[in-house]
Amino acid sequence: MPAADPTIISQWQRRDRAVLWHPCTQMKDHETLPPVPLRRGRGVWLEDFGGRRYLDAISSWWVNLFGHAHPRINAAIQDQLQQLEHVLLAGFTHAPAIELAERLTALAPPGLTRCFYADSGSAAVEIALKMSFHYWRNRGRPQKCRFICLDNGYHGETLGALAVGGVPLYRETYAPLLMPVLVAPSPDCHHRAPGESWQEYSRRRVEPMAALLAEHAESVCAVIVEPLVQCAGHMRMYHPVYLSLLRELCNRHHVHLIADEIAVGFGRTGTLFACEQAEIAPDFLCLGKGLTGGYLPLSAVLTTEEIYQAFYDDYTTLKAFLHSHSYTGNPLACRAALTTLDIFEEEPVIERNRGLAEVMRYALAPLADHPHVAEVRQCGMIAAVEMVRDKATRQPYPWQERRGRRVYQYALERGALLRPLGDVVYFMPPYVITPEEIRFLAGVAAEGIDIATRE
Ligand SMILES: *Cc1c(COP(=O)(O)O)cnc(C)c1O
């Protein structure tokens, strides 16, 4: 371990600037705020080369579940490394891939009996879209070739995933490259009328979706949604009743339902999977991010026996799903995922999170009265604070003012990694966070919001 030395920081920053191109970043921003070179992580804390610590309030982009450098996951990966680091999953198989598929299908909503692996969330979404289309084609209905998605949804950055996404910031630039889709309004309860309940509003928002399905079901393969929380779309939330009614609609119109639980899966919303709160099973369940506890890139698409059977035939019928990624079902990643599931099984994670979620609720409640906060909302272990210029009319700040970035900057100075989405400050912490650390974060967020909303 090198000694703490601030000059090392600027050395790494200089070398970084010479060669790296960072994700989701205007690189010119690094002229004023260079990236923080980290040397290690432990639990919820990240540590830089100067010895400064940052509380990872957003689980390193929503992937980390049980903290950095978790002893059990570290040990499992090291053990797997001695056995088999990687092998192709076509023509060959291995225990970690088989065991993980067994356990995921057992934990998932009923009927999801088949597991197809990939290496990123976006790839999982592409697979679900292709499989749905291909299912209908194999069943003699090739005219079903369109998707319905939600406004403000997010499903990844590859072209298919981007096409079914509805966040303009990521989508608009590439619009000419994207396949056409049908877009239904979001059930996002931020827009409910004064006095209206979440349930009433989300129920009301089913109507336009019902109309789209009634008109276009003949040409539609699937509806894709993020259950309960549109995470990248500013942590907007809705009531489970929307999912229950959507499941019924999809059944009635013979259209698949794709649940993208890449961000909300593995306990984020208060249940292991968000779909549980609506007591529904989708036709495709996309998993990623927290699947490996935040260690390695792995994703999975779970689907039904009915869909699997539509591809199962003699090779010469050319019905097979000939899709692959080089690192499909990587053994190291599967072992990390298996250990993550062990932790869920052996520790009362979901129950403990209920307590932590209450601490978050209580710690953030005072911000609801802030003159520049429109709303404090929460769904399980995801809590969000929406800053606005005008509290009464909910008029947002001009995006060019980048108020959220001021919170980001302030939080870093205070030792917290908060990375607001636009003007929405949110917590989505690893589940090993303590009540005291949550209160620390809430303090940083409150002061950051004060500073960012000062004229
Ligand atoms: C992050 C995310 C994806 C994309 O996953 P990547 O691993 O970043 O490709 C897809 N859907 C949702 C809901 C996500 O939050």
Side-chain angles (χ1 to χ4, degrees):
M1 191 67 60
D5 177 0
T7 65
I8 293 178
I9 294 183
S10 51
Q11 283 169 25
W12 283 120
Q13 286 171 336
R14 201 173 53 243
R15 287 169 62 178
D16 176 284
R17 268 192 76 177
V19 291
L20 263 181
W21 193 340
H22 288 269
C24 203
T25 298
Q26 170 49 264
M27 292 300 289
K28 190 163 188 284
D29 280 352
H30 284 163
E31 287 180 11
T32 50
L33 191 59
V36 182
L38 297 173
R39 69 173 175 190
R40 60 179 214 157
R42 288 288 182 280
V44 296
W45 293 97
L46 301 166
E47 187 186 305
D48 74 13
F49 280 95
R52 285 182 60 105
R53 299 201 310 161
Y54 308 88
L55 205 169
D56 187 356
I58 61 160
S59 300
S60 290
W61 263 349
W62 324 340
V63 300
N64 191 290
L65 297 187
F66 299 113
H68 297 273
H70 191 283
R72 282 185 69 177
I73 306 177
N74 285 9
I77 294 171
Q78 273 162 7
D79 179 65
Q80 183 58 41
L81 204 45
Q82 307 309 314
Q83 320 292 329
L84 178 66
E85 81 299 335
H86 184 68
V87 69
L88 74 168
L89 202 62
F92 294 86
T93 192
H94 50 78
I98 297 166
E99 284 173 19
L100 182 59
E102 287 171 350
R103 289 179 66 182
L104 288 174
T105 52
L107 286 169
L112 298 168
T113 54
R114 289 282 162 184
C115 176
F116 193 101
Y117 291 115
D119 51 11
S120 71
S122 305
V125 168
E126 301 286 342
I127 287 162
L129 298 174
K130 283 176 71 178
M131 264 187 189
S132 174
F133 163 77
H134 199 162
Y135 167 90
W136 293 114
R137 187 184 149 88
N138 282 353
R139 286 277 187 249
R141 299 188 67 181
Q143 70 281 12
K144 281 168 94 70
C145 62
R146 294 204 285 179
F147 299 96
I148 298 180
C149 50
L150 292 182
D151 192 24
N152 195 46
Y154 180 84
H155 302 287
E157 301 293 344
T158 54
L159 294 177
L162 205 53
V164 292
V167 178
L169 181 63
Y170 308 126
R171 188 183 203 284
E172 288 306 285
T173 308
Y174 307 100
L177 305 181
L178 305 179
M179 67 175 163
V181 294
L182 298 161
V183 182
S186 169
D188 161 17
C189 290
H190 183 67
H191 299 294
R192 70 195 184 280
E196 191 174 27
S197 72
W198 281 38
Q199 182 162 7
E200 286 163 342
Y201 184 76
S202 291
R203 181 181 285 275
R204 182 151 73 78
R205 298 298 264 184
V206 173
E207 285 163 27
M209 174 66 89
L212 269 184
L213 279 164
E215 189 180 346
H216 299 289
E218 281 304 303
S219 68
V220 168
C221 358
V223 175
I224 181 166
V225 299
E226 293 161 273
L228 301 189
V229 187
Q230 295 187 309
C231 294
H234 296 158
M235 297 294 166
R236 294 290 178 79
M237 300 171 184
Y238 60 92
H239 192 276
V241 71
Y242 187 87
L243 295 172
S244 318
L245 295 172
L246 179 59
R247 177 69 274 185
E248 285 171 23
L249 282 172
C250 287
N251 287 347
R252 191 179 326 145
H253 291 289
H254 302 285
V255 163
H256 292 142
L257 177 57
I258 303 172
D260 176 352
E261 294 220 16
I262 290 161
V264 295
F266 299 102
R268 291 291 182 193
T269 67
T271 44
L272 188 63
F273 298 113
C275 283
E276 293 170 25
Q277 295 182 42
E279 294 177 15
I280 61 149
D283 300 286
F284 298 93
L285 178 67
C286 299
L287 301 174
K289 292 203 165 112
L291 174 58
T292 61
Y295 266 69
L296 287 158
L298 180 71
S299 61
V301 179
L302 305 194
T303 190
T304 64
E305 211 57 24
E306 155 69 14
I307 288 166
Y308 175 75
Q309 284 301 332
F311 294 78
Y312 195 93
D313 207 338
D314 294 328
Y315 184 82
T316 51
T317 63
L318 294 178
K319 285 184 178 172
F321 190 60
L322 301 179
H323 180 113
S324 65
H325 296 284
S326 308
Y327 285 98
T328 297
N330 173 263
L332 296 168
C334 288
R335 275 298 291 279
L338 282 165
T339 310
T340 299
L341 295 184
D342 288 341
I343 296 171
F344 272 106
E345 202 173 284
E346 293 162 30
E347 297 178 20
V349 178
I350 301 285
E351 205 178 296
R352 231 168 32 205
N353 282 356
R354 239 172 263 143
L356 292 172
E358 274 315 296
V359 176
M360 286 209 281
R361 193 181 301 281
Y362 196 76
L364 287 175
L367 271 169
D369 297 325
H370 191 282
H372 290 290
V373 167
E375 182 179 57
V376 180
R377 53 181 174 267
Q378 188 173 350
C379 180
M381 288 296 284
I382 307 172
V385 182
E386 181 131 358
M387 295 187 287
V388 285
R389 178 146 83 184
D390 188 311
K391 193 180 180 79
T393 63
R394 295 193 156 186
Q395 185 199 12
Y397 286 107
W399 62 268
Q400 294 88 342
E401 293 179 5
R402 306 183 75 187
R403 305 265 172 172
R405 186 171 140 88
R406 301 185 202 176
V407 178
Y408 172 72
Q409 202 159 352
Y410 173 77
L412 276 185
E413 287 164 20
R414 289 287 313 277
L417 166 46
L418 290 173
R419 199 174 191 277
L421 293 154
D423 292 339
V424 175
V425 180
Y426 70 93
F427 299 165
M428 193 158 162
Y431 305 156
V432 292
I433 195 168
T434 64
E436 198 185 341
E437 286 162 346
I438 290 173
R439 286 188 284 269
F440 162 72
L441 281 181
V444 172
E447 287 152 30
I449 289 169
D450 266 345
I451 287 167
T453 56
R454 231 172 255 161
E455 251 354 282

